[in-house]
Short mmCIF file of all heavy atoms in Angstrom, two decimals:
data_model
loop_
_atom_site.label_atom_id
_atom_site.label_comp_id
_atom_site.label_asym_id
_atom_site.label_seq_id
_atom_site.Cartn_x
_atom_site.Cartn_y
_atom_site.Cartn_z
N PHE A 905 88.51 116.19 121.40
CA PHE A 905 89.85 116.75 121.45
C PHE A 905 90.49 116.56 120.07
O PHE A 905 90.29 115.62 119.32
CB PHE A 905 90.76 116.01 122.44
CG PHE A 905 90.32 116.40 123.93
CD1 PHE A 905 89.80 115.49 124.85
CD2 PHE A 905 90.59 117.69 124.35
CE1 PHE A 905 89.54 115.89 126.05
CE2 PHE A 905 90.32 118.09 125.65
CZ PHE A 905 89.78 117.16 126.51
N VAL A 906 91.33 117.47 119.78
CA VAL A 906 92.02 117.52 118.47
C VAL A 906 93.33 116.76 118.47
O VAL A 906 94.15 117.02 119.49
CB VAL A 906 92.28 118.96 117.91
CG1 VAL A 906 93.17 118.85 116.60
CG2 VAL A 906 90.95 119.45 117.60
N THR A 907 93.58 115.81 117.65
CA THR A 907 94.79 115.10 117.56
C THR A 907 95.38 115.24 116.10
O THR A 907 94.57 115.70 115.27
CB THR A 907 94.72 113.62 118.02
OG1 THR A 907 93.83 112.97 117.06
CG2 THR A 907 94.22 113.40 119.44
N ALA A 908 96.58 114.56 115.84
CA ALA A 908 97.01 114.56 114.52
C ALA A 908 96.12 113.76 113.58
O ALA A 908 96.22 113.80 112.32
CB ALA A 908 98.41 114.08 114.38
N ASP A 909 95.38 112.73 114.12
CA ASP A 909 94.46 111.84 113.25
C ASP A 909 93.21 112.71 113.10
O ASP A 909 92.41 112.91 114.13
CB ASP A 909 94.21 110.59 114.05
CG ASP A 909 95.44 109.73 114.18
OD1 ASP A 909 96.23 109.75 113.18
OD2 ASP A 909 95.60 109.09 115.20
N LEU A 910 92.87 113.16 112.03
CA LEU A 910 91.78 114.06 111.61
C LEU A 910 90.38 113.45 112.16
O LEU A 910 89.94 112.46 111.87
CB LEU A 910 91.64 114.39 110.21
CG LEU A 910 90.62 115.36 109.74
CD1 LEU A 910 90.95 116.73 110.38
CD2 LEU A 910 90.60 115.35 108.17
N ASP A 911 89.83 114.23 112.96
CA ASP A 911 88.46 114.06 113.59
C ASP A 911 88.47 112.60 114.33
O ASP A 911 87.34 112.20 114.34
CB ASP A 911 87.44 114.08 112.50
CG ASP A 911 87.24 115.47 111.91
OD1 ASP A 911 87.31 116.46 112.62
OD2 ASP A 911 87.03 115.56 110.61
N GLU A 912 89.53 112.27 114.83
CA GLU A 912 89.53 111.00 115.63
C GLU A 912 90.00 111.12 116.97
O GLU A 912 90.24 110.08 117.59
CB GLU A 912 90.42 110.00 114.76
CG GLU A 912 89.78 109.53 113.40
CD GLU A 912 90.53 108.35 112.74
OE1 GLU A 912 91.48 107.79 113.40
OE2 GLU A 912 90.23 108.23 111.55
N GLY A 913 90.15 112.38 117.42
CA GLY A 913 90.53 112.42 118.87
C GLY A 913 89.46 111.92 119.79
O GLY A 913 88.37 111.76 119.47
N PRO A 914 89.93 111.95 121.15
CA PRO A 914 89.03 111.37 122.20
C PRO A 914 87.69 112.20 122.16
O PRO A 914 87.68 113.42 122.22
CB PRO A 914 89.77 111.64 123.47
CG PRO A 914 91.13 111.49 122.95
CD PRO A 914 91.30 112.11 121.68
N ILE A 915 86.63 111.50 122.13
CA ILE A 915 85.28 112.07 122.15
C ILE A 915 84.89 112.63 123.43
O ILE A 915 84.98 111.91 124.50
CB ILE A 915 84.22 111.06 121.58
CG1 ILE A 915 84.51 110.81 120.14
CG2 ILE A 915 82.77 111.63 121.74
CD1 ILE A 915 83.75 109.65 119.66
N ILE A 916 84.45 113.93 123.52
CA ILE A 916 83.96 114.48 124.73
C ILE A 916 82.38 114.49 124.92
O ILE A 916 81.88 114.14 125.85
CB ILE A 916 84.48 116.00 124.78
CG1 ILE A 916 85.97 115.99 124.79
CG2 ILE A 916 83.85 116.70 126.07
CD1 ILE A 916 86.53 117.54 124.51
N GLU A 917 81.62 114.86 123.81
CA GLU A 917 80.18 114.85 123.88
C GLU A 917 79.62 114.72 122.47
O GLU A 917 80.28 115.09 121.47
CB GLU A 917 79.88 116.38 124.24
CG GLU A 917 78.33 116.63 124.30
CD GLU A 917 77.64 115.88 125.38
OE1 GLU A 917 77.63 114.50 125.15
OE2 GLU A 917 77.07 116.37 126.42
N GLN A 918 78.54 114.08 122.45
CA GLN A 918 77.80 113.83 121.17
C GLN A 918 76.17 114.10 121.52
O GLN A 918 75.80 113.80 122.43
CB GLN A 918 77.96 112.26 120.72
CG GLN A 918 79.37 112.06 120.30
CD GLN A 918 79.57 110.59 119.83
OE1 GLN A 918 79.37 109.66 120.60
NE2 GLN A 918 80.01 110.39 118.56
N SER A 919 75.58 114.64 120.40
CA SER A 919 74.24 114.91 120.46
C SER A 919 73.54 114.46 119.18
O SER A 919 74.20 114.58 118.19
CB SER A 919 73.85 116.35 120.87
OG SER A 919 74.49 116.74 121.98
N VAL A 920 72.29 114.01 119.29
CA VAL A 920 71.51 113.70 117.95
C VAL A 920 70.15 114.23 118.11
O VAL A 920 69.60 114.46 119.16
CB VAL A 920 71.50 112.12 117.71
CG1 VAL A 920 72.90 111.65 117.49
CG2 VAL A 920 70.87 111.50 118.88
N GLU A 921 69.45 114.41 116.96
CA GLU A 921 68.03 114.71 116.75
C GLU A 921 67.45 113.97 115.66
O GLU A 921 67.96 113.92 114.50
CB GLU A 921 67.74 116.21 116.61
CG GLU A 921 66.43 116.59 116.60
CD GLU A 921 66.18 118.11 116.62
OE1 GLU A 921 67.07 118.80 117.12
OE2 GLU A 921 65.23 118.65 116.01
N ARG A 922 66.20 113.41 115.88
CA ARG A 922 65.55 112.71 114.75
C ARG A 922 65.01 113.69 113.78
O ARG A 922 64.41 114.75 114.13
CB ARG A 922 64.48 111.75 115.36
CG ARG A 922 64.86 110.51 115.97
CD ARG A 922 63.78 109.60 116.14
NE ARG A 922 63.30 109.12 114.81
CZ ARG A 922 63.91 108.02 114.13
NH1 ARG A 922 64.94 107.38 114.55
NH2 ARG A 922 63.32 107.74 112.87
N VAL A 923 65.08 113.20 112.51
CA VAL A 923 64.41 114.06 111.41
C VAL A 923 63.66 113.06 110.54
O VAL A 923 63.80 111.87 110.75
CB VAL A 923 65.54 114.86 110.58
CG1 VAL A 923 66.20 115.88 111.49
CG2 VAL A 923 66.53 113.88 109.90
N ASP A 924 62.82 113.60 109.63
CA ASP A 924 62.05 112.74 108.65
C ASP A 924 62.17 113.32 107.27
O ASP A 924 62.75 114.31 107.08
CB ASP A 924 60.56 112.48 109.21
CG ASP A 924 59.83 113.74 109.31
OD1 ASP A 924 60.17 114.74 108.55
OD2 ASP A 924 58.94 113.84 110.13
N HIS A 925 61.32 112.69 106.40
CA HIS A 925 61.40 113.02 104.97
C HIS A 925 60.88 114.38 104.72
O HIS A 925 61.12 114.90 103.70
CB HIS A 925 60.43 111.96 104.36
CG HIS A 925 59.12 112.00 104.73
ND1 HIS A 925 58.72 111.21 105.84
CD2 HIS A 925 57.94 112.66 104.41
CE1 HIS A 925 57.40 111.45 106.01
NE2 HIS A 925 56.93 112.27 105.14
N SER A 926 60.17 115.03 105.71
CA SER A 926 59.54 116.31 105.40
C SER A 926 60.48 117.47 105.42
O SER A 926 60.27 118.59 105.01
CB SER A 926 58.39 116.53 106.43
OG SER A 926 58.96 116.64 107.73
N LYS A 927 61.73 117.14 106.11
CA LYS A 927 62.67 118.35 106.16
C LYS A 927 63.49 118.54 104.92
O LYS A 927 63.87 117.66 104.20
CB LYS A 927 63.71 117.92 107.33
CG LYS A 927 63.05 117.57 108.71
CD LYS A 927 62.28 118.68 109.26
CE LYS A 927 61.79 118.30 110.62
NZ LYS A 927 60.87 119.47 111.18
N SER A 928 63.57 119.76 104.78
CA SER A 928 64.33 120.33 103.48
C SER A 928 65.86 120.25 103.76
O SER A 928 66.18 120.07 104.95
CB SER A 928 63.96 121.60 102.99
OG SER A 928 64.24 122.54 104.06
N VAL A 929 66.65 120.39 102.80
CA VAL A 929 68.00 120.51 102.97
C VAL A 929 68.39 121.73 104.01
O VAL A 929 69.23 121.49 104.91
CB VAL A 929 68.73 120.69 101.68
CG1 VAL A 929 70.29 121.02 101.99
CG2 VAL A 929 68.55 119.58 100.67
N GLU A 930 67.67 122.82 103.85
CA GLU A 930 67.92 123.95 104.72
C GLU A 930 67.54 123.72 106.10
O GLU A 930 68.06 124.02 107.11
CB GLU A 930 67.28 125.24 104.16
CG GLU A 930 67.73 126.47 104.92
CD GLU A 930 69.19 126.77 105.09
OE1 GLU A 930 69.86 126.44 104.09
OE2 GLU A 930 69.61 127.24 106.08
N ASP A 931 66.38 122.93 106.37
CA ASP A 931 65.87 122.50 107.57
C ASP A 931 66.97 121.67 108.24
O ASP A 931 67.23 121.84 109.51
CB ASP A 931 64.64 121.66 107.46
CG ASP A 931 63.44 122.48 107.02
OD1 ASP A 931 63.54 123.62 107.28
OD2 ASP A 931 62.40 121.86 106.46
N LEU A 932 67.56 120.66 107.55
CA LEU A 932 68.57 119.79 108.03
C LEU A 932 69.70 120.56 108.45
O LEU A 932 70.39 120.47 109.58
CB LEU A 932 68.91 118.66 107.00
CG LEU A 932 67.82 117.76 106.56
CD1 LEU A 932 68.41 116.69 105.65
CD2 LEU A 932 67.12 117.06 107.79
N ARG A 933 70.08 121.57 107.65
CA ARG A 933 71.29 122.33 107.99
C ARG A 933 71.06 123.25 109.26
O ARG A 933 72.01 123.37 110.09
CB ARG A 933 71.65 123.31 106.70
CG ARG A 933 73.00 124.13 106.89
CD ARG A 933 73.24 124.97 105.59
NE ARG A 933 73.60 123.96 104.54
CZ ARG A 933 72.93 123.71 103.40
NH1 ARG A 933 71.76 124.26 103.24
NH2 ARG A 933 73.42 122.99 102.44
N GLU A 934 69.95 123.78 109.39
CA GLU A 934 69.64 124.55 110.54
C GLU A 934 69.61 123.68 111.83
O GLU A 934 70.05 124.07 112.84
CB GLU A 934 68.33 125.33 110.45
CG GLU A 934 68.25 126.57 109.46
CD GLU A 934 69.38 127.58 109.84
OE1 GLU A 934 69.41 127.93 111.15
OE2 GLU A 934 70.15 128.00 108.96
N ILE A 935 68.94 122.58 111.70
CA ILE A 935 69.12 121.61 112.91
C ILE A 935 70.46 121.23 113.32
O ILE A 935 70.86 121.24 114.40
CB ILE A 935 68.23 120.31 112.54
CG1 ILE A 935 66.69 120.73 112.45
CG2 ILE A 935 68.45 119.24 113.63
CD1 ILE A 935 65.91 119.63 111.86
N GLY A 936 71.35 120.88 112.11
CA GLY A 936 72.66 120.64 112.40
C GLY A 936 73.47 121.74 113.03
O GLY A 936 74.26 121.47 113.92
N ARG A 937 73.21 122.96 112.64
CA ARG A 937 73.88 124.18 113.33
C ARG A 937 73.64 124.25 114.75
O ARG A 937 74.39 124.46 115.59
CB ARG A 937 73.42 125.38 112.59
CG ARG A 937 74.19 125.58 111.19
CD ARG A 937 73.66 126.75 110.45
NE ARG A 937 74.05 126.94 109.08
CZ ARG A 937 73.53 127.64 108.05
NH1 ARG A 937 72.33 128.11 108.35
NH2 ARG A 937 74.11 127.66 106.91
N ASP A 938 72.29 124.11 114.98
CA ASP A 938 71.96 124.22 116.46
C ASP A 938 72.48 123.05 117.33
O ASP A 938 73.12 123.33 118.37
CB ASP A 938 70.29 124.06 116.65
CG ASP A 938 69.57 125.28 116.07
OD1 ASP A 938 70.23 126.34 115.95
OD2 ASP A 938 68.35 125.17 115.91
N ILE A 939 72.56 121.85 116.87
CA ILE A 939 73.16 120.70 117.52
C ILE A 939 74.62 120.90 117.72
O ILE A 939 75.22 120.77 118.74
CB ILE A 939 72.84 119.45 116.87
CG1 ILE A 939 71.41 119.11 116.85
CG2 ILE A 939 73.66 118.25 117.56
CD1 ILE A 939 70.96 117.93 116.15
N GLU A 940 75.26 121.36 116.63
CA GLU A 940 76.77 121.74 116.75
C GLU A 940 77.04 122.77 117.80
O GLU A 940 77.98 122.71 118.66
CB GLU A 940 77.33 122.28 115.34
CG GLU A 940 77.43 121.16 114.29
CD GLU A 940 77.79 121.64 112.89
OE1 GLU A 940 78.00 122.84 112.82
OE2 GLU A 940 77.88 120.95 111.97
#
């Protein structure tokens, strides 16, 4: 949720994915977009 405190509102959902050294910057960006 959005509050006046930037990015500190009550958390609704969180997701993560493991990555390793083989991932390029663009790989990380694409993984991040999917998770978002």
